[in-house]
Amino acid sequence: MNSLPVLQPTTDETCCAPAGAPALGAEEARQKALVFKALADPNRLRLLSIVKAEPDGESCVCDLSGPLDLSQPTVSHHLKILVEAGLLHREKRGTWAYFSLVPGALDDVAGILAAL
Amino acid sequence: MNSLPVLQPTTDETCCAPAGAPALGAEEARQKALVFKALADPNRLRLLSIVKAEPDGESCVCDLSGPLDLSQPTVSHHLKILVEAGLLHREKRGTWAYFSLVPGALDDVAGILAAL
């Protein structure tokens, strides 16, 4: 005779999620917060908008300090954060570094919001 | 004899936009950065995800401190930032405050990214 599988009582089987159970785990939230930290600065938003507006899709670091009235080390610091967050791609050519948007990166951030 | 208009040499007339002209103004960038500051914290992302996951669309503040293992004053501090950023709506009923997502708020943030 086959034994039927024993059904264990499930204490969390309710009509809805247990009150206040985090839909987003701690480690996942820590990861996702990093990209918003990168975006949480006016100068970094302006740098992204400059790079995005360039017809050829990239900006030389030498062209980015002037319009924001920031020193080049400060601009480089902000650009580094945007690169580390996966929003900008950096390519060194000769003397200068050139920055372009990582394709799909801003859409991915929008996707994080949609999936919260 | 008509004199021809004198063509002034234009130093910024290039094949593309003037290098590094900010597409996003300083004040606009400051405003837009505020909402990303609100999102730039793992606990605030988790709070948003809990509220969003609630079947009736709102969470009592009394249910939000337990799952994140945070004190109620800390949770209230994070909720205040999310309300001030226009992401959560707060409604006091009786003893407790209830929080719900502001309709369209997360879509608006995605719109900021698309319009950078």
Side-chain angles (χ1 to χ4, degrees):
Chain A
M1 189 179 99
N2 289 336
S3 60
L4 290 170
V6 177
L7 293 174
Q8 299 293 330
T10 54
T11 52
D12 60 355
E13 193 178 287
T14 57
C15 65
C16 53
L24 193 63
E27 177 54 26
E28 198 182 354
R30 198 188 61 78
Q31 289 282 340
K32 291 185 195 300
L34 292 177
V35 75
F36 293 114
K37 278 183 187 153
L39 292 165
D41 180 277
N43 286 316
R44 291 200 286 274
L45 289 180
R46 298 182 85 196
L47 286 169
L48 284 175
S49 78
I50 293 171
V51 173
K52 196 179 173 194
E54 286 294 327
D56 60 357
E58 67 173 18
S59 300
C60 172
V61 65
C62 57
D63 286 332
L64 290 169
S65 58
L68 297 194
D69 201 20
L70 296 174
S71 70
Q72 198 160 304
T74 300
V75 168
S76 292
H77 163 76
H78 286 308
L79 290 168
K80 186 166 180 276
I81 291 171
L82 291 169
V83 170
E84 287 173 352
L87 296 167
L88 285 185
H89 171 74
R90 179 185 186 275
E91 188 180 331
K92 188 91 189 286
R93 291 203 303 273
T95 309
W96 300 108
Y98 294 80
F99 293 84
S100 56
L101 278 184
V102 171
L106 294 178
D107 291 340
D108 289 348
V109 181
I112 292 175
L113 295 170
L116 271 183
Chain B
M1 189 179 99
N2 288 336
S3 61
L4 291 170
V6 178
L7 293 174
Q8 299 293 332
T10 53
T11 52
D12 61 353
E13 192 178 288
T14 58
C15 62
C16 52
L24 192 63
E27 177 54 26
E28 198 182 353
R30 198 188 62 78
Q31 289 283 340
K32 290 184 195 301
L34 292 177
V35 75
F36 293 113
K37 279 183 185 151
L39 292 165
D41 180 278
N43 286 315
R44 291 199 287 274
L45 290 180
R46 297 181 86 196
L47 286 169
L48 284 176
S49 78
I50 294 172
V51 174
K52 196 179 172 193
E54 286 294 325
D56 61 356
E58 67 173 18
S59 300
C60 171
V61 65
C62 55
D63 286 331
L64 291 169
S65 58
L68 297 194
D69 201 20
L70 296 174
S71 70
Q72 198 160 306
T74 301
V75 168
S76 291
H77 163 75
H78 285 309
L79 289 168
K80 185 166 181 276
I81 290 171
L82 291 169
V83 169
E84 286 173 352
L87 295 167
L88 285 186
H89 171 74
R90 178 185 187 276
E91 188 181 328
K92 188 88 188 289
R93 291 203 302 273
T95 308
W96 300 107
Y98 293 80
F99 293 85
S100 56
L101 278 183
V102 171
L106 294 178
D107 291 340
D108 289 348
V109 181
I112 291 175
L113 295 169
L116 270 182

